[in-house]
Amino acid sequence: MAGLAESGSNPDVDLLYDINGLAKDAPHWFDRVMEFVGEWGLLLAMVMLVIWCWLTVRKRGGEDAASSVAALIWAPLAAGVAVLVNVPIRGFVERPRPFVDHDGLEVLIGGKSDFSFVSDHATLMMAMGVGLFVANRKFGVVGIVLGLFGGFCRVYMGVHYPTDVIGGFALGTAVVLLLSPLAMALLTPVVAAVERSPRVGWLVRARGASGERGKVIPGARSEVEAEERDLAA
């Protein structure tokens, strides 16, 4: 992989210069915005999206509330697992950052002295996006789009090759999907137990959400029965 980066006549490097070249032509303020968005902004947006999805799933309730929340919990957990898996991959490949081997790049953020392949940001973003898709397709599509844009930003900033980003996408997706059956088997019973708790059940299902209205307290009259007796009187 490092040898591939040393040549400027391959599509990976050509695409790197094409995308990063946009930063040279952009206004200074726009590059500063892209720097923040690519480094922290999209990650914060992804976290907010997960919280929004949790609030939506919790409010909706239903019989699948526990499994939906369990899948939602798996999204950030999978992202963490994927980053841990990437640690030995980076150490094995030892691919330098693109600005180390190539001149003329517009590097928007400094201090990147670690290896380039695979991109941690791309891995995190795509793992959370795919994890969201497993929990809720509408939110998941938005998460995946954010992940794709995040990968573009990393190349735009001059800190990753396109193949670093593609590798991150593949790693994040693989971890989520391959480990999802095991994760769901472990998380769903725990979340279901939390749902049944009178104290913390609101974390899984909001009070008054669908699925709770049909519950009848032993010894209490149902609404229909009460109405019939009132009419009879």
Side-chain angles (χ1 to χ4, degrees):
M1 189 65 70
L4 180 65
E6 294 174 358
S7 173
S9 60
N10 65 76
D12 193 22
V13 175
D14 291 342
L15 189 57
L16 165 67
Y17 275 105
D18 289 340
I19 296 177
N20 180 255
L22 300 174
K24 293 184 178 181
D25 301 328
H28 178 74
W29 66 265
F30 184 80
D31 284 346
R32 297 287 74 81
V33 170
M34 289 293 285
E35 175 188 343
F36 172 77
V37 169
E39 189 71 8
W40 300 109
L42 288 173
L43 290 175
L44 292 175
M46 188 69 79
V47 171
M48 295 301 296
L49 188 64
V50 171
I51 295 174
W52 187 8
C53 184
W54 167 65
L55 292 174
T56 302
V57 170
R58 172 179 168 271
K59 183 178 180 181
R60 183 185 63 194
E63 296 181 356
D64 62 341
S67 60
S68 297
V69 173
L72 199 54
I73 294 173
W74 171 233
L77 289 179
V81 172
V83 171
L84 290 177
V85 172
N86 189 31
V87 172
I89 294 177
R90 278 193 166 195
F92 176 76
V93 178
E94 295 186 346
R95 187 184 201 185
R97 295 279 182 169
F99 52 79
V100 174
D101 292 328
H102 301 283
D103 297 325
L105 292 175
E106 188 75 11
V107 183
L108 301 187
I109 186 169
K112 301 292 183 181
S113 58
D114 55 344
F115 294 120
S116 185
F117 186 90
V118 178
S119 168
D120 277 340
H121 275 75
T123 302
L124 272 170
M125 293 287 290
M126 190 54 64
M128 293 187 71
V130 175
L132 268 174
F133 188 82
V134 172
N136 184 290
R137 290 189 177 183
K138 292 182 180 179
F139 284 92
V141 169
V142 177
I144 291 173
V145 170
L146 287 178
L148 293 173
F149 182 60
F152 172 84
C153 289
R154 303 306 289 176
V155 181
Y156 181 95
M157 294 163 62
V159 294
H160 280 294
Y161 293 95
T163 48
D164 297 338
V165 171
I166 294 173
F169 290 163
L171 177 59
T173 302
V175 168
V176 172
L177 298 182
L178 292 178
L179 298 182
S180 181
L182 176 62
M184 292 300 294
L186 296 175
L187 290 173
T188 302
V190 175
V191 176
V194 172
E195 181 184 11
R196 292 191 296 268
S197 171
R199 292 187 177 181
V200 294
W202 59 270
L203 291 171
V204 180
R205 187 198 305 271
R207 294 178 180 177
S210 60
E212 287 190 347
R213 296 178 180 177
K215 296 180 180 179
V216 179
I217 300 175
R221 295 185 303 172
S222 66
E223 294 181 3
V224 175
E225 181 184 355
E227 184 177 355
E228 290 177 350
R229 293 187 180 181
D230 290 340
L231 290 174

